[in-house]
Amino acid sequence: MDLSVNFAGIKMKNPVTTASGTFGSGAEYGDFVDLNKLGAVTTKGVSSVPWQGNQTPRICETYGGMLNAIGLQNPGIDLFIERDLAFLKQYDTKIIVNVCGRTIEEYIEVVERLADTSVDMLEINISCPNVKAGGIAFGQNPELARQVADSIKQHARQPVIMKLSPNVTDIAEMARAVEAGGADAVSLVNTFTGMKIDINKRKFALANKTGGLSGPAIKPVALRMVYEAAHAVKIPVLGMGGISCAEDALEFIMAGATMVAVGTANFNNPAVTEEIIDGIKSFMEENGINSVKEITGCVS
Amino acid sequence: MAYIESQVKLADGIYSMWIKFPETCSIRKAVPGQFISMYSKDGSRLLPRPISICETDAINNMLRVVYRIAGKGTEEFSHMAAGDGISVIAPLGNGFNINNKGKKALLIGGGIGIPPMLGLSAALKGDVTAVLGYRDGSLFLKEDFTPYAKVYIATEDGSAGVKGNVIDAVKHYGISADIIYACGPLPMLRGVKAFAQENGIEAQVSLEERMACGIGACLGCVCSSKEKDTHTNVNNKRICKDGPVFDAMEIEI
């Protein structure tokens, strides 16, 4: 039985990675998960210089989900390469680096710094709802998204995944736009912009007023969008949004995702990624499935 | 999986729970000021509840938490009984520095910040005074402190001890100290920091914040720090990983 997948030319030992921002660079989860077992680790977004992030509270729980407005706090590319990448290189897993920026030039600066490293893939974050410039501003306009993909492709040495926002009218159009810009893959969905109010304090639960909704609450919508994107483009799809068990992961695969990412579920169970990989394997064994490819996009 | 050894109600909305851990998960190295992540069984509540450790029982590999019902998650915990299983990660974070070389210690606990002070009072050697601040005369845990510390009380409504806050009580009784340890609501910690600064006393404070991962990965629970933090190299220390106990002068509260 073959759990491996070919994702935009990169061979992953299985179709499971982590969703950016929920797993740091893996170091904090090493006590709970054997990082060697993951198809890939997708890192938290990294920018050209350190970012401070938003004010607290940055987190609140909602029914079956959570809102976050971290604001892409990160150490910047220098410390990231020196520390986080050096850490990840010790493991037998692929490395997907999530890249963020306020301008196209900032994205390119990070992409160029990563050119000569052992990073396997780049995931370009044009969908963070919690930062004012860059982020989602690029992810809600098809022409801007195409331009970002096109500019980055001219500088990237690794395959480029464009991470899409669900906060759009037509996800298929966004997927087609980045494909036209030369993207090697798309990943979706990032979080849905949401809000919570503390009625006793008469205040927003988050200092940023709004935050990104994630967790099981978004899964059906995310699945629908992954299905639509997978049918709109020829490039492979990395599907995510509320995946918290093997059944969820298999739904995304059957909807057309070549790979899946596990995010918020890591907060509920830090060992969940390994459990999902084992669960996919069991399902394949029980159903006589020899390769993940057999079921990728099988529901259409 | 850990198991509930026992649970009792101490006061309105305040519960005391002993949790027994399997031998594969030793909590014997836990120090006062560290916390645990407790997970709900209800799938609609994803995030662990960070609860401070009240005290530990090394012989039986058990620890005690005393918590207030603050929402549906803690309410769920309050209905649990002896023998029930619970998912817990423990211990987490950095606790108080208890190597104080016999310095005269003042422990200040406010409300649900009182429980970690109990384990601390037991761990400290030498001259230990505890000032405990309550809303009213429902003085949960007060008696537990008596073997370890001289205890003074402040209540908001004046029903016991000094009417007012913990700093009012410290001033009223003229309590002096070489080092202060504190846990409680933010306004109290600000008062403690100001008092420590005015009197040139070293102070360690325990902070709380909304957390998601509890292990230092998500950057949800940062606080402003004077020094650059080790994670991001800005000035945002992680309460779950770098704290929850900090030198009061090191953080902006």
Side-chain angles (χ1 to χ4, degrees):
Chain A
M1 191 182 58
D2 186 10
L3 231 64
S4 73
V5 294
N6 180 323
F7 186 65
I10 306 295
K11 189 175 178 187
M12 311 276 181
K13 66 175 78 172
N14 62 61
V16 178
T17 185
T18 54
S20 179
T22 64
F23 208 72
S25 290
E28 290 84 6
Y29 280 89
D31 291 342
F32 304 97
V33 181
D34 179 358
L35 300 175
N36 296 303
K37 290 198 175 159
L38 303 179
V41 169
T42 303
T43 70
K44 178 159 178 67
V46 60
S47 51
S48 55
V49 294
W51 282 9
Q52 189 89 28
N54 291 328
Q55 295 296 304
T56 55
R58 293 175 168 186
I59 296 282
C60 76
E61 191 178 69
T62 58
Y63 196 89
M66 64 176 284
L67 291 165
N68 90 81
I70 308 291
L72 292 173
Q73 179 184 329
N74 81 89
I77 189 65
D78 290 340
L79 185 54
F80 175 83
I81 289 175
E82 182 189 323
R83 180 190 60 196
D84 300 32
L85 208 49
F87 169 82
L88 278 173
K89 273 197 273 189
Q90 306 170 81
Y91 294 90
D92 178 23
T93 185
K94 300 295 180 191
I95 305 170
I96 303 174
V97 175
N98 185 283
V99 177
C100 51
R102 294 187 180 89
T103 62
I104 290 182
E105 291 69 30
E106 285 183 12
Y107 285 109
I108 289 171
E109 206 179 323
V110 178
V111 166
E112 287 188 329
R113 290 294 311 280
L114 292 168
D116 296 321
T117 66
S118 53
V119 165
D120 296 288
M121 299 186 90
L122 306 172
E123 180 180 61
I124 310 301
N125 182 353
I126 53 166
S127 43
C128 179
N130 301 321
V131 293
K132 286 193 179 68
I136 204 167
F138 293 119
Q140 288 179 322
N141 178 322
E143 178 49 26
L144 281 177
R146 188 196 64 76
Q147 283 174 22
V148 176
D150 180 59
S151 306
I152 285 168
K153 274 303 286 179
Q154 291 172 32
H155 295 84
R157 293 262 183 90
Q158 294 93 346
V160 170
I161 310 163
M162 297 300 287
K163 185 164 183 181
L164 304 182
S165 170
N167 301 298
V168 295
T169 310
D170 185 353
I171 195 71
E173 184 187 11
M174 295 304 301
R176 281 192 293 263
V178 296
E179 183 182 46
D184 300 287
V186 287
S187 57
L188 70 156
V189 298
N190 204 320
T191 56
F192 291 80
T193 310
M195 182 182 277
K196 181 174 170 64
I197 288 171
D198 180 331
I199 58 165
N200 295 310
K201 294 181 182 159
R202 301 188 184 190
K203 275 181 154 178
F204 297 105
L206 297 174
N208 192 51
K209 295 185 185 176
T210 60
L213 180 66
S214 62
I218 71 168
K219 203 202 80 184
V221 193
L223 184 65
R224 184 266 298 173
M225 294 184 125
V226 164
Y227 173 84
E228 287 177 356
H231 284 77
V233 294
K234 293 194 175 65
I235 53 176
V237 174
L238 167 51
M240 72 192 86
I243 295 175
S244 43
C245 60
E247 182 182 346
D248 294 344
L250 286 159
E251 284 190 64
F252 278 78
I253 290 169
M254 291 186 183
T258 302
M259 278 195 87
V260 294
V262 180
T264 298
N266 289 301
F267 302 150
N268 183 253
N269 171 6
V272 73
T273 43
E274 239 184 280
E275 292 173 16
I276 288 173
I277 293 163
D278 292 342
I280 293 172
K281 201 172 159 194
S282 302
F283 179 84
M284 289 172 63
E285 275 165 4
E286 285 158 19
N287 292 277
I289 301 159
N290 295 315
S291 157
V292 179
K293 221 194 294 179
E294 286 176 33
I295 51 169
T296 306
C298 70
V299 177
S300 59
Chain B
M1 183 74 84
Y3 288 89
I4 311 246
E5 182 73 14
S6 62
Q7 172 149 259
V8 292
K9 183 177 177 178
L10 297 184
D12 247 8
I14 309 279
Y15 288 79
S16 166
M17 177 192 279
W18 277 98
I19 304 171
K20 182 157 176 65
F21 289 78
E23 279 310 314
T24 48
C25 173
S26 173
I27 52 86
R28 294 183 175 92
K29 283 187 178 156
V31 296
Q34 286 189 293
F35 69 97
I36 70 175
S37 273
M38 294 171 65
Y39 293 83
S40 166
K41 285 188 171 63
D42 185 321
S44 72
R45 295 191 277 274
L46 304 174
L47 303 180
R49 271 56 181 167
I51 312 275
S52 66
I53 296 170
C54 175
E55 54 181 335
T56 53
D57 171 351
I59 295 165
N60 296 304
N61 202 31
M62 301 197 301
L63 60 76
R64 182 190 192 189
V65 287
V66 172
Y67 60 93
R68 170 175 280 147
I69 295 180
K72 293 198 175 84
T74 39
E75 193 198 325
E76 176 190 327
F77 300 149
S78 76
H79 296 304
M80 297 177 109
D84 289 348
I86 184 165
S87 287
V88 177
I89 299 179
L92 292 169
N94 293 305
F96 292 102
N97 179 3
I98 56 172
N99 297 319
N100 68 353
K101 300 181 180 75
K103 284 180 186 166
K104 197 174 171 189
L106 170 56
L107 280 54
I108 300 178
I112 209 59
I114 290 170
M117 292 298 133
L118 178 60
L120 179 63
S121 69
L124 289 171
K125 306 281 180 282
D127 190 341
V128 180
T129 301
V131 175
L132 310 178
Y134 296 90
R135 286 176 185 168
D136 51 38
S138 182
L139 309 179
F140 61 90
L141 288 180
K142 176 181 175 265
E143 298 306 321
D144 296 53
F145 278 85
T146 45
Y148 313 115
K150 291 191 291 278
V151 181
Y152 297 93
I153 302 297
T155 52
E156 284 172 21
D157 66 359
S159 55
V162 171
K163 182 175 176 9
N165 62 38
V166 287
I167 296 300
D168 296 331
V170 169
K171 288 177 178 165
H172 177 85
Y173 293 111
I175 299 165
S176 64
D178 303 316
I179 182 165
I180 295 174
Y181 301 92
C183 184
L186 209 49
M188 184 200 100
L189 295 180
R190 290 190 187 113
V192 168
K193 181 178 176 176
F195 178 82
Q197 267 173 322
E198 283 158 23
N199 295 280
I201 307 170
E202 179 187 349
Q204 295 174 31
V205 296
S206 178
L207 302 187
E208 66 173 354
E209 183 53 83
R210 296 277 173 188
M211 295 180 185
C213 72
I215 56 174
C218 75
L219 309 180
C221 64
V222 298
C223 63
S224 296
S225 56
K226 259 189 199 152
E227 289 171 10
K228 300 272 188 205
D229 62 274
T230 55
H231 179 279
T232 308
N233 205 28
V234 286
N235 294 81
N236 272 346
K237 292 208 172 174
R238 294 165 292 179
I239 291 175
C240 68
K241 183 88 174 179
D242 305 314
V245 176
F246 295 95
D247 178 333
M249 307 311 154
E250 159 56 18
I251 44 148
E252 282 160 38
I253 51 176

